[in-house]
Amino acid sequence: MSERSEFTVESGSVEQRLLPSAEPVRLIDQHGVAHEHPQYEMPAAQTLAGGYAQLVTGRRINDQAGALVRQGRLAVYPSSHGQEACQIAATMVLGAQDWLFPTYRDTVSIVSRGVDPIETLTLLRGDWHSGYDPYEHKVAPQATPLATQLLHAVGVAHAARLKGEDTVVMALCGDGATSEGDFHEALNFAAVFRAPVVFFIQNNEYAISVPLSKQTVAPSLAHKGIGYGVPGERADGNDLAGLLAVLGSAVAKARAGEGPQLVEAHTYRVQAHTNADDASKYRDDAEVTPWLERDPIKRLDAYLTGLGVLDDEAKQEATRAAEKVADALREGLMQEVQPDPAELFEHLYTTPTPQLREQAAFLADELAREEV
Amino acid sequence: MTHVKLSMAQALNQALRDAMRADESVLMFGEDVGALGGVFRITDGLTAEFGEQRCFDTPLAESGIVGLAVGLAMNGMRPVVEMQFDAFGYPAFEQVVSHVAKMRNRTRGRITLPIVIRMPYAGGIGGVEHHCDSSEAYYAHTPGLTVVAPGTVADAYTLLRRAIEFPDPVIFLEPKKLYWAKDEVDLTVAEPGIGKAVVRREGADATLIAYGPTVPVALEAAEAAAAEGRQLQVVDLRSIVPFDDETVCAAVRRTGRAVVVAEASGFASVSSEIVARVTERCFHSLAAPIRRVTGFDIPYPPPKLERHQLPSVDRILDAVDDLQWDDR
Ligand SMILES: Cc1ncc(C[n+]2csc(CCOP(=O)(O)OP(=O)(O)O)c2C)c(N)n1
């Protein structure tokens, strides 16, 4: 036994504070059966019923967007089909003063935050690089360069602290993104600055074709917080109840000044990476099938029906509401919008450079000649 | 293999295969290059043929990929790495600029890095943001890097084979809109090698200078000009660094007029370098200032607006018309 020194880490207490639970937190299993958890409470039935309606709408958005890609109305769509519980939980735990930092896969989360679905899909439609006002709903532009947005999230959270604002930032990323340097820098910065950020990893087992086993040999992605002094927790990513409990607690801790929190949701990408991807090149359908049984909507349906909170009437209402969103999506995206080429030059600088003005005039002239 | 009809993607795949067969130290790695065969299928079937030791997926980290390549090359390997898209090569920029480019110089030639960094590059495929950057100027501006961009199917094969055999690091830019372009080709490591431009079409009236994705557009423009009675010569640079001053200047001297055609933004670009070099060397042979047809100085536009950014036949012909024909 070596002697205690100034380098000794109180491993027991550190582990208690930082280590995720041995099993992902699950309050409702795939059969819709509730389970007690020593640490986390079942959310109120009415909260879950509201969540159910959002899940149904989220699924409908995913499937409608998939269809619109096939009809050429969207350039590309990375679906969160099967991950809707993560998408919805991430925003349900936030207050109006909080921020969401989404990726390309988080359309449903953005819509759940209140952003207009057509504006949300402007990027993927190919109209413009972002379609919504980030300040209106406190939703950052969707990030494509992986993990880069996590540092921005830390900055927004740090500014909020400096200004004395009661803001928590929910920063989303995938399992693959945790391999990028920026992920690690973000965790470390957030911890050092005690920034109120909840890093929420949707571990859907794949980064395009690469399975998690080739991404990391860490015991879990939530364990990645330990080295930075950031507490980690894991939840069943297809259980809305467990996610709300875990994310809700993480948000509360960040808000109370306890610093950043890391949450990993265990879920699965049941569809290909995007419409442009062919998943049969790298995985068997047999691997996907069990995950269809773990569907987040099915289990919440079973649980709430069992409780008597969700009857046929309420389910039909949820379906109707989802249909309305899908109709609006279809209608909006069927309209042929041609973005104004003049905008190409408008927003690059506060004041366009003389060169950009010249180039804008050149293009305007060219377009005018095209018309004759 | 004699005269087969292949796409550029298939020719690149064959070049990798042949290089890996020829030399055991050639390794191919990056994101999704294993089972999937790369998002553009350039590495299709390589893991099946050569095993996971030689063609493999890495964790998702571009800086990691290039940094690993540096170490592997220091210890006798010839790494070929793929950056999934041009704009996703930026996390590796530190490794490329500070180490890949400088290692040979800072060790006084003791460490050489035979690394190829392959990059699906430039636009024209309706990709959303970050998928269509023309980033050649960053690399061309960095001393120590060799930068090549094939404009034809045959050249894709030749240049990639030569890049893998090259003793120093090569940035290999693959014009993604040409991946599916097919041609009847003879898969041999042909002449000339890296560092040489070629004249793709003869013509006495003016010279179009193009590279990578703009080579076919320039050839199309020359075809259209011929129909109107003007003969345009087309030079395909192939190699941006080293730059073939000799071939390019000889071509421009023959015609006295020139237009540079490039997809990248024009400001502080490879196209501006070309204009400067040629003007410095051929001033007295020029009948008009060299014109450029380039992308605007803006981030690459979203799919619905991308056609405005891409050099078109019409823009090239307008630029040719502007070469002071009446004022000799
Ligand atoms: C820096 C960077 N490198 C590569 C890519 C290309 N790319 C887009 S999504 C993706 C996989 C990401 O996987 P993960 O983080 O697990 O998220 P998921 O797509 O599964 O939601 C890759 C490699 C990128 N967008 N950014």
Side-chain angles (χ1 to χ4, degrees), chain B residues 2-34:
Chain B
T2 48
H3 282 81
V4 279
K5 188 147 194 167
L6 285 183
S7 67
M8 185 180 280
Q10 289 168 321
L12 291 165
N13 179 268
Q14 194 60 45
L16 289 170
R17 245 175 237 281
D18 291 348
M20 291 176 83
R21 283 178 192 153
D23 181 350
E24 279 211 338
S25 67
V26 176
L27 305 178
M28 174 73 233
F29 55 94
E31 293 158 8
D32 303 287
V33 300

PDB file of all heavy atoms in Angstrom, chain B residues 2-34:
ATOM      1  N   THR B   2      -7.128  -3.382 -70.635  1.00  0.00           N
ATOM      2  CA  THR B   2      -7.111  -2.393 -71.721  1.00  0.00           C
ATOM      3  C   THR B   2      -8.510  -1.874 -71.985  1.00  0.00           C
ATOM      4  O   THR B   2      -9.457  -2.643 -72.148  1.00  0.00           O
ATOM      5  CB  THR B   2      -6.548  -2.995 -73.025  1.00  0.00           C
ATOM      6  OG1 THR B   2      -7.189  -4.238 -73.235  1.00  0.00           O
ATOM      7  CG2 THR B   2      -5.050  -3.167 -72.960  1.00  0.00           C
ATOM      8  N   HIS B   3      -8.606  -0.596 -72.055  1.00  0.00           N
ATOM      9  CA  HIS B   3      -9.832   0.114 -72.417  1.00  0.00           C
ATOM     10  C   HIS B   3     -11.116  -0.458 -71.843  1.00  0.00           C
ATOM     11  O   HIS B   3     -11.802  -1.264 -72.463  1.00  0.00           O
ATOM     12  CB  HIS B   3      -9.933   0.220 -73.946  1.00  0.00           C
ATOM     13  CG  HIS B   3      -9.031   1.309 -74.427  1.00  0.00           C
ATOM     14  ND1 HIS B   3      -7.691   1.122 -74.610  1.00  0.00           N
ATOM     15  CD2 HIS B   3      -9.308   2.598 -74.720  1.00  0.00           C
ATOM     16  CE1 HIS B   3      -7.147   2.252 -75.017  1.00  0.00           C
ATOM     17  NE2 HIS B   3      -8.097   3.168 -75.081  1.00  0.00           N
ATOM     18  N   VAL B   4     -11.405   0.000 -70.630  1.00  0.00           N
ATOM     19  CA  VAL B   4     -12.663  -0.377 -70.003  1.00  0.00           C
ATOM     20  C   VAL B   4     -13.438   0.893 -69.716  1.00  0.00           C
ATOM     21  O   VAL B   4     -12.848   1.966 -69.546  1.00  0.00           O
ATOM     22  CB  VAL B   4     -12.442  -1.140 -68.684  1.00  0.00           C
ATOM     23  CG1 VAL B   4     -12.140  -2.601 -68.976  1.00  0.00           C
ATOM     24  CG2 VAL B   4     -11.338  -0.512 -67.864  1.00  0.00           C
ATOM     25  N   LYS B   5     -14.760   0.772 -69.648  1.00  0.00           N
ATOM     26  CA  LYS B   5     -15.567   1.941 -69.338  1.00  0.00           C
ATOM     27  C   LYS B   5     -15.732   2.008 -67.821  1.00  0.00           C
ATOM     28  O   LYS B   5     -16.268   1.098 -67.200  1.00  0.00           O
ATOM     29  CB  LYS B   5     -16.941   1.843 -70.014  1.00  0.00           C
ATOM     30  CG  LYS B   5     -17.724   3.117 -69.871  1.00  0.00           C
ATOM     31  CD  LYS B   5     -18.604   3.378 -71.083  1.00  0.00           C
ATOM     32  CE  LYS B   5     -19.094   4.810 -71.035  1.00  0.00           C
ATOM     33  NZ  LYS B   5     -19.695   5.239 -72.283  1.00  0.00           N
ATOM     34  N   LEU B   6     -15.217   3.073 -67.233  1.00  0.00           N
ATOM     35  CA  LEU B   6     -15.223   3.195 -65.777  1.00  0.00           C
ATOM     36  C   LEU B   6     -15.641   4.603 -65.361  1.00  0.00           C
ATOM     37  O   LEU B   6     -15.432   5.570 -66.091  1.00  0.00           O
ATOM     38  CB  LEU B   6     -13.813   2.965 -65.223  1.00  0.00           C
ATOM     39  CG  LEU B   6     -13.236   1.559 -65.163  1.00  0.00           C
ATOM     40  CD1 LEU B   6     -11.875   1.624 -64.499  1.00  0.00           C
ATOM     41  CD2 LEU B   6     -14.160   0.633 -64.391  1.00  0.00           C
ATOM     42  N   SER B   7     -16.232   4.678 -64.170  1.00  0.00           N
ATOM     43  CA  SER B   7     -16.475   5.999 -63.582  1.00  0.00           C
ATOM     44  C   SER B   7     -15.204   6.433 -62.865  1.00  0.00           C
ATOM     45  O   SER B   7     -14.325   5.608 -62.582  1.00  0.00           O
ATOM     46  CB  SER B   7     -17.632   5.933 -62.584  1.00  0.00           C
ATOM     47  OG  SER B   7     -17.258   5.147 -61.485  1.00  0.00           O
ATOM     48  N   MET B   8     -15.122   7.708 -62.537  1.00  0.00           N
ATOM     49  CA  MET B   8     -13.949   8.171 -61.800  1.00  0.00           C
ATOM     50  C   MET B   8     -13.861   7.466 -60.445  1.00  0.00           C
ATOM     51  O   MET B   8     -12.773   7.111 -59.982  1.00  0.00           O
ATOM     52  CB  MET B   8     -13.965   9.689 -61.616  1.00  0.00           C
ATOM     53  CG  MET B   8     -12.683  10.197 -60.955  1.00  0.00           C
ATOM     54  SD  MET B   8     -12.603  11.976 -60.683  1.00  0.00           S
ATOM     55  CE  MET B   8     -12.154  12.591 -62.293  1.00  0.00           C
ATOM     56  N   ALA B   9     -15.014   7.235 -59.811  1.00  0.00           N
ATOM     57  CA  ALA B   9     -15.018   6.537 -58.520  1.00  0.00           C
ATOM     58  C   ALA B   9     -14.408   5.146 -58.679  1.00  0.00           C
ATOM     59  O   ALA B   9     -13.592   4.708 -57.858  1.00  0.00           O
ATOM     60  CB  ALA B   9     -16.440   6.445 -57.970  1.00  0.00           C
ATOM     61  N   GLN B  10     -14.776   4.453 -59.736  1.00  0.00           N
ATOM     62  CA  GLN B  10     -14.237   3.102 -59.956  1.00  0.00           C
ATOM     63  C   GLN B  10     -12.739   3.144 -60.268  1.00  0.00           C
ATOM     64  O   GLN B  10     -11.987   2.270 -59.831  1.00  0.00           O
ATOM     65  CB  GLN B  10     -14.990   2.415 -61.102  1.00  0.00           C
ATOM     66  CG  GLN B  10     -16.407   2.032 -60.718  1.00  0.00           C
ATOM     67  CD  GLN B  10     -17.233   1.617 -61.927  1.00  0.00           C
ATOM     68  OE1 GLN B  10     -17.117   2.205 -63.008  1.00  0.00           O
ATOM     69  NE2 GLN B  10     -18.067   0.609 -61.751  1.00  0.00           N
ATOM     70  N   ALA B  11     -12.327   4.152 -61.009  1.00  0.00           N
ATOM     71  CA  ALA B  11     -10.901   4.265 -61.337  1.00  0.00           C
ATOM     72  C   ALA B  11     -10.081   4.519 -60.070  1.00  0.00           C
ATOM     73  O   ALA B  11      -8.989   3.964 -59.896  1.00  0.00           O
ATOM     74  CB  ALA B  11     -10.684   5.384 -62.350  1.00  0.00           C
ATOM     75  N   LEU B  12     -10.609   5.339 -59.176  1.00  0.00           N
ATOM     76  CA  LEU B  12      -9.916   5.613 -57.913  1.00  0.00           C
ATOM     77  C   LEU B  12      -9.840   4.338 -57.075  1.00  0.00           C
ATOM     78  O   LEU B  12      -8.822   4.026 -56.456  1.00  0.00           O
ATOM     79  CB  LEU B  12     -10.637   6.726 -57.146  1.00  0.00           C
ATOM     80  CG  LEU B  12     -10.542   8.121 -57.776  1.00  0.00           C
ATOM     81  CD1 LEU B  12     -11.565   9.066 -57.157  1.00  0.00           C
ATOM     82  CD2 LEU B  12      -9.130   8.699 -57.623  1.00  0.00           C
ATOM     83  N   ASN B  13     -10.953   3.605 -57.052  1.00  0.00           N
ATOM     84  CA  ASN B  13     -11.001   2.357 -56.305  1.00  0.00           C
ATOM     85  C   ASN B  13      -9.947   1.384 -56.851  1.00  0.00           C
ATOM     86  O   ASN B  13      -9.209   0.742 -56.099  1.00  0.00           O
ATOM     87  CB  ASN B  13     -12.409   1.759 -56.404  1.00  0.00           C
ATOM     88  CG  ASN B  13     -12.537   0.434 -55.675  1.00  0.00           C
ATOM     89  OD1 ASN B  13     -12.340  -0.629 -56.256  1.00  0.00           O
ATOM     90  ND2 ASN B  13     -12.848   0.504 -54.386  1.00  0.00           N
ATOM     91  N   GLN B  14      -9.851   1.315 -58.166  1.00  0.00           N
ATOM     92  CA  GLN B  14      -8.884   0.413 -58.787  1.00  0.00           C
ATOM     93  C   GLN B  14      -7.446   0.855 -58.483  1.00  0.00           C
ATOM     94  O   GLN B  14      -6.576   0.022 -58.236  1.00  0.00           O
ATOM     95  CB  GLN B  14      -9.124   0.348 -60.299  1.00  0.00           C
ATOM     96  CG  GLN B  14      -8.413  -0.802 -60.990  1.00  0.00           C
ATOM     97  CD  GLN B  14      -8.840  -2.172 -60.451  1.00  0.00           C
ATOM     98  OE1 GLN B  14     -10.032  -2.432 -60.269  1.00  0.00           O
ATOM     99  NE2 GLN B  14      -7.871  -3.032 -60.139  1.00  0.00           N
ATOM    100  N   ALA B  15      -7.245   2.160 -58.457  1.00  0.00           N
ATOM    101  CA  ALA B  15      -5.903   2.668 -58.143  1.00  0.00           C
ATOM    102  C   ALA B  15      -5.503   2.252 -56.725  1.00  0.00           C
ATOM    103  O   ALA B  15      -4.366   1.828 -56.483  1.00  0.00           O
ATOM    104  CB  ALA B  15      -5.872   4.188 -58.289  1.00  0.00           C
ATOM    105  N   LEU B  16      -6.434   2.359 -55.788  1.00  0.00           N
ATOM    106  CA  LEU B  16      -6.142   1.960 -54.404  1.00  0.00           C
ATOM    107  C   LEU B  16      -5.830   0.470 -54.342  1.00  0.00           C
ATOM    108  O   LEU B  16      -4.863   0.044 -53.699  1.00  0.00           O
ATOM    109  CB  LEU B  16      -7.333   2.301 -53.495  1.00  0.00           C
ATOM    110  CG  LEU B  16      -7.554   3.792 -53.215  1.00  0.00           C
ATOM    111  CD1 LEU B  16      -8.890   4.025 -52.520  1.00  0.00           C
ATOM    112  CD2 LEU B  16      -6.416   4.357 -52.352  1.00  0.00           C
ATOM    113  N   ARG B  17      -6.677  -0.314 -55.014  1.00  0.00           N
ATOM    114  CA  ARG B  17      -6.477  -1.761 -55.042  1.00  0.00           C
ATOM    115  C   ARG B  17      -5.094  -2.114 -55.590  1.00  0.00           C
ATOM    116  O   ARG B  17      -4.362  -2.909 -54.999  1.00  0.00           O
ATOM    117  CB  ARG B  17      -7.501  -2.358 -56.007  1.00  0.00           C
ATOM    118  CG  ARG B  17      -8.501  -3.249 -55.400  1.00  0.00           C
ATOM    119  CD  ARG B  17      -9.503  -3.639 -56.479  1.00  0.00           C
ATOM    120  NE  ARG B  17     -10.830  -3.261 -56.032  1.00  0.00           N
ATOM    121  CZ  ARG B  17     -11.519  -3.981 -55.155  1.00  0.00           C
ATOM    122  NH1 ARG B  17     -11.043  -5.099 -54.670  1.00  0.00           N
ATOM    123  NH2 ARG B  17     -12.705  -3.574 -54.758  1.00  0.00           N
ATOM    124  N   ASP B  18      -4.767  -1.524 -56.726  1.00  0.00           N
ATOM    125  CA  ASP B  18      -3.489  -1.863 -57.372  1.00  0.00           C
ATOM    126  C   ASP B  18      -2.316  -1.407 -56.513  1.00  0.00           C
ATOM    127  O   ASP B  18      -1.307  -2.108 -56.410  1.00  0.00           O
ATOM    128  CB  ASP B  18      -3.428  -1.238 -58.773  1.00  0.00           C
ATOM    129  CG  ASP B  18      -4.423  -1.898 -59.720  1.00  0.00           C
ATOM    130  OD1 ASP B  18      -4.979  -2.960 -59.359  1.00  0.00           O
ATOM    131  OD2 ASP B  18      -4.670  -1.340 -60.813  1.00  0.00           O
ATOM    132  N   ALA B  19      -2.444  -0.254 -55.878  1.00  0.00           N
ATOM    133  CA  ALA B  19      -1.364   0.230 -55.021  1.00  0.00           C
ATOM    134  C   ALA B  19      -1.206  -0.675 -53.809  1.00  0.00           C
ATOM    135  O   ALA B  19      -0.079  -0.970 -53.375  1.00  0.00           O
ATOM    136  CB  ALA B  19      -1.649   1.664 -54.581  1.00  0.00           C
ATOM    137  N   MET B  20      -2.312  -1.150 -53.262  1.00  0.00           N
ATOM    138  CA  MET B  20      -2.233  -2.021 -52.080  1.00  0.00           C
ATOM    139  C   MET B  20      -1.686  -3.394 -52.439  1.00  0.00           C
ATOM    140  O   MET B  20      -1.009  -4.034 -51.639  1.00  0.00           O
ATOM    141  CB  MET B  20      -3.609  -2.126 -51.402  1.00  0.00           C
ATOM    142  CG  MET B  20      -4.019  -0.802 -50.748  1.00  0.00           C
ATOM    143  SD  MET B  20      -5.682  -0.808 -50.039  1.00  0.00           S
ATOM    144  CE  MET B  20      -5.362  -1.555 -48.433  1.00  0.00           C
ATOM    145  N   ARG B  21      -1.995  -3.839 -53.665  1.00  0.00           N
ATOM    146  CA  ARG B  21      -1.418  -5.111 -54.120  1.00  0.00           C
ATOM    147  C   ARG B  21       0.087  -4.974 -54.331  1.00  0.00           C
ATOM    148  O   ARG B  21       0.847  -5.888 -54.035  1.00  0.00           O
ATOM    149  CB  ARG B  21      -2.074  -5.540 -55.443  1.00  0.00           C
ATOM    150  CG  ARG B  21      -3.453  -6.136 -55.259  1.00  0.00           C
ATOM    151  CD  ARG B  21      -4.078  -6.501 -56.603  1.00  0.00           C
ATOM    152  NE  ARG B  21      -5.499  -6.797 -56.417  1.00  0.00           N
ATOM    153  CZ  ARG B  21      -6.426  -6.646 -57.354  1.00  0.00           C
ATOM    154  NH1 ARG B  21      -6.094  -6.211 -58.562  1.00  0.00           N
ATOM    155  NH2 ARG B  21      -7.689  -6.923 -57.085  1.00  0.00           N
ATOM    156  N   ALA B  22       0.481  -3.828 -54.847  1.00  0.00           N
ATOM    157  CA  ALA B  22       1.885  -3.635 -55.207  1.00  0.00           C
ATOM    158  C   ALA B  22       2.781  -3.425 -53.989  1.00  0.00           C
ATOM    159  O   ALA B  22       3.967  -3.715 -54.026  1.00  0.00           O
ATOM    160  CB  ALA B  22       2.016  -2.444 -56.158  1.00  0.00           C
ATOM    161  N   ASP B  23       2.213  -2.898 -52.920  1.00  0.00           N
ATOM    162  CA  ASP B  23       3.063  -2.518 -51.788  1.00  0.00           C
ATOM    163  C   ASP B  23       2.316  -2.764 -50.474  1.00  0.00           C
ATOM    164  O   ASP B  23       1.310  -2.123 -50.185  1.00  0.00           O
ATOM    165  CB  ASP B  23       3.426  -1.030 -51.931  1.00  0.00           C
ATOM    166  CG  ASP B  23       4.328  -0.540 -50.804  1.00  0.00           C
ATOM    167  OD1 ASP B  23       4.535  -1.275 -49.811  1.00  0.00           O
ATOM    168  OD2 ASP B  23       4.821   0.600 -50.916  1.00  0.00           O
ATOM    169  N   GLU B  24       2.846  -3.677 -49.684  1.00  0.00           N
ATOM    170  CA  GLU B  24       2.181  -4.070 -48.435  1.00  0.00           C
ATOM    171  C   GLU B  24       2.131  -2.970 -47.396  1.00  0.00           C
ATOM    172  O   GLU B  24       1.353  -3.041 -46.448  1.00  0.00           O
ATOM    173  CB  GLU B  24       2.921  -5.271 -47.824  1.00  0.00           C
ATOM    174  CG  GLU B  24       2.554  -6.574 -48.442  1.00  0.00           C
ATOM    175  CD  GLU B  24       2.643  -7.708 -47.427  1.00  0.00           C
ATOM    176  OE1 GLU B  24       3.365  -7.526 -46.423  1.00  0.00           O
ATOM    177  OE2 GLU B  24       1.998  -8.738 -47.656  1.00  0.00           O
ATOM    178  N   SER B  25       3.001  -1.982 -47.554  1.00  0.00           N
ATOM    179  CA  SER B  25       3.008  -0.938 -46.529  1.00  0.00           C
ATOM    180  C   SER B  25       1.913   0.102 -46.769  1.00  0.00           C
ATOM    181  O   SER B  25       1.716   0.995 -45.952  1.00  0.00           O
ATOM    182  CB  SER B  25       4.381  -0.263 -46.474  1.00  0.00           C
ATOM    183  OG  SER B  25       4.621   0.450 -47.665  1.00  0.00           O
ATOM    184  N   VAL B  26       1.185  -0.014 -47.876  1.00  0.00           N
ATOM    185  CA  VAL B  26       0.092   0.937 -48.133  1.00  0.00           C
ATOM    186  C   VAL B  26      -1.106   0.572 -47.263  1.00  0.00           C
ATOM    187  O   VAL B  26      -1.600  -0.555 -47.299  1.00  0.00           O
ATOM    188  CB  VAL B  26      -0.311   0.936 -49.624  1.00  0.00           C
ATOM    189  CG1 VAL B  26      -1.520   1.849 -49.848  1.00  0.00           C
ATOM    190  CG2 VAL B  26       0.859   1.371 -50.497  1.00  0.00           C
ATOM    191  N   LEU B  27      -1.541   1.531 -46.446  1.00  0.00           N
ATOM    192  CA  LEU B  27      -2.709   1.347 -45.569  1.00  0.00           C
ATOM    193  C   LEU B  27      -3.756   2.377 -45.942  1.00  0.00           C
ATOM    194  O   LEU B  27      -3.421   3.515 -46.271  1.00  0.00           O
ATOM    195  CB  LEU B  27      -2.329   1.562 -44.105  1.00  0.00           C
ATOM    196  CG  LEU B  27      -1.185   0.737 -43.513  1.00  0.00           C
ATOM    197  CD1 LEU B  27      -0.957   1.155 -42.059  1.00  0.00           C
ATOM    198  CD2 LEU B  27      -1.500  -0.749 -43.593  1.00  0.00           C
ATOM    199  N   MET B  28      -5.016   1.984 -45.879  1.00  0.00           N
ATOM    200  CA  MET B  28      -6.108   2.921 -46.183  1.00  0.00           C
ATOM    201  C   MET B  28      -6.987   3.019 -44.942  1.00  0.00           C
ATOM    202  O   MET B  28      -7.461   2.006 -44.442  1.00  0.00           O
ATOM    203  CB  MET B  28      -6.897   2.352 -47.369  1.00  0.00           C
ATOM    204  CG  MET B  28      -8.165   3.122 -47.745  1.00  0.00           C
ATOM    205  SD  MET B  28      -7.843   4.708 -48.549  1.00  0.00           S
ATOM    206  CE  MET B  28      -8.827   5.800 -47.511  1.00  0.00           C
ATOM    207  N   PHE B  29      -7.186   4.242 -44.419  1.00  0.00           N
ATOM    208  CA  PHE B  29      -8.094   4.347 -43.278  1.00  0.00           C
ATOM    209  C   PHE B  29      -8.778   5.707 -43.199  1.00  0.00           C
ATOM    210  O   PHE B  29      -8.393   6.663 -43.872  1.00  0.00           O
ATOM    211  CB  PHE B  29      -7.391   4.010 -41.957  1.00  0.00           C
ATOM    212  CG  PHE B  29      -6.145   4.814 -41.669  1.00  0.00           C
ATOM    213  CD1 PHE B  29      -6.211   5.967 -40.892  1.00  0.00           C
ATOM    214  CD2 PHE B  29      -4.909   4.407 -42.142  1.00  0.00           C
ATOM    215  CE1 PHE B  29      -5.068   6.704 -40.606  1.00  0.00           C
ATOM    216  CE2 PHE B  29      -3.755   5.132 -41.860  1.00  0.00           C
ATOM    217  CZ  PHE B  29      -3.833   6.287 -41.089  1.00  0.00           C
ATOM    218  N   GLY B  30      -9.816   5.754 -42.366  1.00  0.00           N
ATOM    219  CA  GLY B  30     -10.610   6.974 -42.222  1.00  0.00           C
ATOM    220  C   GLY B  30     -11.991   6.632 -41.679  1.00  0.00           C
ATOM    221  O   GLY B  30     -12.162   5.585 -41.044  1.00  0.00           O
ATOM    222  N   GLU B  31     -12.957   7.490 -41.949  1.00  0.00           N
ATOM    223  CA  GLU B  31     -14.317   7.294 -41.437  1.00  0.00           C
ATOM    224  C   GLU B  31     -15.160   6.536 -42.462  1.00  0.00           C
ATOM    225  O   GLU B  31     -15.263   6.969 -43.614  1.00  0.00           O
ATOM    226  CB  GLU B  31     -14.950   8.664 -41.134  1.00  0.00           C
ATOM    227  CG  GLU B  31     -14.254   9.370 -39.981  1.00  0.00           C
ATOM    228  CD  GLU B  31     -14.447  10.885 -39.967  1.00  0.00           C
ATOM    229  OE1 GLU B  31     -15.255  11.402 -40.761  1.00  0.00           O
ATOM    230  OE2 GLU B  31     -13.767  11.548 -39.160  1.00  0.00           O
ATOM    231  N   ASP B  32     -15.730   5.423 -42.050  1.00  0.00           N
ATOM    232  CA  ASP B  32     -16.652   4.647 -42.895  1.00  0.00           C
ATOM    233  C   ASP B  32     -15.997   4.057 -44.148  1.00  0.00           C
ATOM    234  O   ASP B  32     -16.685   3.737 -45.107  1.00  0.00           O
ATOM    235  CB  ASP B  32     -17.865   5.503 -43.301  1.00  0.00           C
ATOM    236  CG  ASP B  32     -18.612   6.041 -42.094  1.00  0.00           C
ATOM    237  OD1 ASP B  32     -19.289   5.252 -41.422  1.00  0.00           O
ATOM    238  OD2 ASP B  32     -18.491   7.252 -41.800  1.00  0.00           O
ATOM    239  N   VAL B  33     -14.692   3.902 -44.152  1.00  0.00           N
ATOM    240  CA  VAL B  33     -14.020   3.379 -45.349  1.00  0.00           C
ATOM    241  C   VAL B  33     -13.954   1.846 -45.347  1.00  0.00           C
ATOM    242  O   VAL B  33     -13.603   1.240 -46.359  1.00  0.00           O
ATOM    243  CB  VAL B  33     -12.587   3.944 -45.510  1.00  0.00           C
ATOM    244  CG1 VAL B  33     -12.616   5.448 -45.635  1.00  0.00           C
ATOM    245  CG2 VAL B  33     -11.686   3.521 -44.350  1.00  0.00           C
ATOM    246  N   GLY B  34     -14.319   1.228 -44.212  1.00  0.00           N
ATOM    247  CA  GLY B  34     -14.249  -0.234 -44.114  1.00  0.00           C
ATOM    248  C   GLY B  34     -15.452  -0.918 -44.749  1.00  0.00           C
ATOM    249  O   GLY B  34     -15.599  -0.926 -45.974  1.00  0.00           O
TER     250      GLY B  34
END
